[in-house]
Amino acid sequence: MITLYGIEWSRAKYVLFTLAELGLDFQHVRINPFEKEKNAPEYLKLNPLAQVPTLVDGDLVLTEAMAINFYLSRKYGAGKLWADRLEDEAQIYKWSLFAVTQMETACVDLIMHRKVLDAKIRNPAIVQAAEKKLLKPLEVLNNHLAGKDFLVAGKFTVADIHMAGVLSYALGGEFDFSPYHEVARYLDAILSRPSGNCSPSLKKR
């Protein structure tokens, strides 16, 4: 039995999307990274950093959301969510890493400082910096998506789960995607998939 530790609005949402897309049975243990439960001795044995998500599959204990999704797609996907050619596989890694390295921090800053944090400690300067940081990556992404429904190989892959998961934070943080028509179209389509509604944080707002 697969066990996933984490809550829906954390990076665990990327894994929940993948599990739903693959139709896998799993146990979901809701560990909140901002609560004391993350420091429980039994959880620290699995994830000494006290972070989420953590996946347990038999003897395998795996952390880091994207690594978990790569593993699930390769082991249980039977070609679904993955690509057949090495060149396309490289593109899956590229766009997944693009999402997390170029955009995730800014997207999280937007939702934290517009929605999650107490109004007294929200910082407009952080919001402004986050929006500025997203301009170039979104321009690159928008150009790539012109005439495409998916990021890689003309099919839905785990890279789309990662990209939509990251951008959903900005969506929740009231980022205006309208100047990026291709990204807005793409994001709406990916989050409209039934598996994209596996977590409230991934639902369209």
Side-chain angles (χ1 to χ4, degrees), residues 1-196:
M1 168 64 73
I2 295 170
T3 302
L4 176 68
Y5 297 83
I7 54 177
E8 288 84 347
W9 50 262
S10 70
R11 275 185 168 186
K13 68 181 180 178
Y14 308 163
V15 183
L16 288 167
F17 198 160
T18 299
L19 289 165
E21 193 71 33
L22 295 176
L24 297 175
D25 292 327
F26 66 99
Q27 179 184 8
H28 186 190
V29 180
R30 288 173 171 80
I31 296 289
N32 188 326
F34 294 105
E35 299 294 340
K36 293 180 181 179
E37 59 211 43
K38 70 175 183 178
N39 293 314
E42 58 270 24
Y43 186 65
L44 289 175
K45 289 179 182 179
L46 300 174
N47 193 324
L49 289 175
Q51 297 174 346
V52 298
T54 300
L55 183 96
V56 178
D57 186 14
D59 293 330
L60 175 68
V61 177
L62 191 59
T63 61
E64 301 300 331
M66 292 188 180
I68 292 169
N69 277 352
F70 294 145
Y71 165 76
L72 291 172
S73 300
R74 292 293 300 274
K75 182 171 183 178
Y76 297 107
K80 189 175 182 181
L81 301 185
W82 207 249
D84 298 326
R85 302 190 315 138
L86 178 61
E87 293 82 358
D88 292 330
E89 183 176 315
Q91 292 293 326
I92 288 176
Y93 291 127
K94 172 205 166 168
W95 286 109
S96 296
L97 293 171
F98 182 94
V100 72
T101 61
Q102 300 297 324
M103 296 190 289
E104 188 182 54
T105 298
C107 291
V108 170
D109 281 344
L110 286 176
I111 195 168
M112 292 296 289
H113 286 271
R114 278 190 170 144
K115 290 288 187 67
V116 176
L117 296 176
D118 187 279
K120 293 182 292 185
I121 59 175
R122 295 178 190 177
N123 189 333
I126 291 178
V127 170
Q128 185 177 18
E131 291 196 327
K132 184 176 181 180
K133 185 177 179 180
L134 287 173
L135 296 181
K136 188 60 177 180
L138 284 174
E139 179 185 345
V140 171
L141 180 61
N142 198 68
N143 291 338
H144 176 74
L145 287 170
K148 299 184 180 74
D149 293 326
F150 307 108
L151 288 169
V152 179
K155 62 181 286 189
F156 181 75
T157 70
V158 70
D160 297 301
I161 291 175
H162 294 152
M163 186 64 72
V166 167
L167 293 179
S168 71
Y169 285 126
L171 194 64
E174 300 177 348
F175 182 82
D176 180 14
F177 283 96
S178 62
Y180 307 96
H181 303 291
E182 301 293 347
V183 175
R185 169 189 58 80
Y186 163 83
L187 186 58
D188 182 69
I190 300 301
L191 296 184
S192 293
R193 295 175 72 90
S195 51

